[in-house]
């Protein structure tokens, strides 16, 4: 697998993803493509000037032709959320952009893994799969990889534990209907509820869980309200997915993929824990959730399905 990444959309998210990928030494080549060629060129120059501080990487601007030998094509192009605007409000605007972008990618490659980051990421993952006609494992969205990190971070503050030692997942839509899967949360192999009893900090009440879930769900709105956009953490999330693909890690990540019957859901994309390696999202884990979580997940899927049907792709 050639370690070449093409990034379409060199805005806040695309450029920060390039920076995170470069900084972690994951790619030998990164190509930036943007309708705003001047912006792509500026980002390319700025990134290249860090060449002496990172592992060798060729960074250039380019066009869809450069997809030909890319192993991963990241799509971060499109409109961003305005303050107060939900991710789903962006569906029509960004679907129109994807109808132009995706056919140009598959004109040049059917081998690359397509990684969608543009919001609403689940809708656009399904749109990309449909337009590209690539197999389900080759089209994924960054999904709730970022939300899962936010959740683990918040728990780490309360439990005073390294977030890497906290196993937890946010599932479903990357957005207002996401499902914080408390039933799958564990620390040191101990279910979260039992861990809380053990450590005696009394953080397993319903109120505490609702407060944390709310903070996870609303953090993007808060950041957008304060600084206009979110990009550092999502850039790192994108780099983590790229790393798992290039290194064939088989890491479990909550990427968004088009479902094929899991929890009775089909033909729409949302996040479930998936094993990510060279083949992309190689296996989706259909884990047992609590009754309430499964109900929320199915509702999240039905909402996404309704939006997809309204888009007429
Ligand atoms: P931005 O406005 O900074 O960048 C978007 C870029 O896309 C611009 O440079 C623009 O010129 C380019 N673009 C627009 N149409 C294009 C086309 N047809 N072809 C090529 N390039 C095109 O926005 P941003 O902050 O980088 O956000 C990008 C997207 O990522 C938004 O939809 C945002 O909501 C989303 N996002 C997703 C997550 C996530 O977790 N999935 C997190 C943050 C932001």
């Amino acid at each position: 697998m050639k370690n070449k990444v093409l990034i379409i959309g060199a805005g806040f998210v695309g450029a920060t993803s390039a920076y995170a990928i470069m900084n972690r030494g994951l790619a030998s080549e990164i190509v930036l493509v943007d309708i705003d060629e001047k912006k792509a060129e500026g980002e390319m120059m700025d990134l290249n000037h860090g060449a002496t501080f990172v592992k060798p990487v060729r960074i250039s601007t380019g066009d869809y032709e450069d997809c030909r030998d890319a192993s991963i094509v990241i799509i971060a192009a499109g409109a961003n959320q305005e303050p107060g605007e939900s991710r789903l409000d962006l569906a029509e605007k960004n679907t129109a952009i994807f109808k132009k972008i995706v056919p140009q990618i598959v004109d040049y490659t059917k081998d690359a893994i397509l990684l969608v980051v543009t919001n609403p990421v689940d809708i656009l993952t399904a749109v990309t799969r449909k337009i590209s006609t690539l197999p389900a494992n080759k089209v994924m969205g960054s999904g709730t990889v970022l939300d899962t990190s936010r959740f683990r971070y918040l728990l780490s503050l309360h439990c005073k534990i390294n977030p890497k030692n906290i196993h937890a997942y946010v599932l479903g839509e990357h957005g207002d209907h996401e499902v914080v899967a408390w039933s799958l949360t564990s620390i040191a192999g101990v279910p979260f509820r039992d861990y809380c009893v053990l450590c005696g900090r009394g953080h397993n009440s319903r109120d505490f869980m609702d407060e944390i879930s709310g903070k996870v769900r609303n953090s993007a709105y808060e950041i957008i309200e304060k600084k206009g956009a979110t990009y550092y953490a999502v850039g790192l999330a994108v780099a983590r997915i790229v790393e798992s693909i290039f290194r064939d890690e088989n890491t479990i990540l909550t990427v968004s993929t088009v479902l094929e019957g899991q929890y009775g859901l089909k033909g729409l994309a949302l996040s479930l824990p998936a094993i990510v390696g060279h083949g992309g999202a190689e296996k989706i884990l259909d884990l047992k959730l609590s009754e309430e979580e499964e109900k929320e997940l199915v509702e999240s899927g039905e909402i996404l399905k309704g939006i997809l049907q309204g888009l007429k792709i």
Side-chain angles (χ1 to χ4, degrees), residues 58-129:
R58 243 177 312 141
I59 305 177
S60 57
T61 58
D63 214 324
Y64 288 91
E65 264 186 76
D66 293 288
C67 289
R68 222 188 284 273
D69 57 348
S71 300
I72 303 177
V73 177
I74 297 167
I75 318 178
N80 203 341
Q81 273 168 279
E82 299 290 336
E85 191 177 36
S86 83
R87 294 177 182 95
L88 295 181
D89 293 333
L90 288 176
E92 285 196 9
K93 270 192 243 177
N94 285 341
T95 297
I97 292 175
F98 271 54
K99 280 182 179 170
K100 289 187 204 142
I101 291 177
V102 179
Q104 298 189 77
I105 299 172
V106 287
D107 267 356
Y108 289 103
T109 181
K110 293 202 168 42
D111 296 326
I113 289 165
L114 309 191
L115 174 55
V116 177
V117 193
T118 307
N119 276 322
V121 69
D122 304 292
I123 296 291
L124 294 170
T125 300
V127 166
T128 301
R129 167 94 203 280

Side-chain angles (χ1 to χ4, degrees), residues 285-303:
L285 303 179
D286 210 338
L287 303 176
K288 182 153 177 46
L289 301 173
S290 74
E291 224 173 276
E292 194 183 346
E293 288 161 357
E294 185 162 340
K295 189 168 162 270
E296 284 177 20
L297 187 77
V298 171
E299 277 168 13
S300 172
E302 296 300 338
I303 290 166

Side-chain angles (χ1 to χ4, degrees), residues 8-14 34-36 39 64 76-81 90 94 97 101 117-119 121 142 146 174 229-230 234:
I8 302 170
F12 284 120
V13 172
D34 199 296
I35 38 163
D36 184 344
K39 165 94 171 102
Y64 288 91
N80 203 341
Q81 273 168 279
L90 288 176
N94 285 341
I97 292 175
I101 291 177
V117 193
T118 307
N119 276 322
V121 69
S142 57
L146 169 60
H174 166 60
T230 72
V234 70

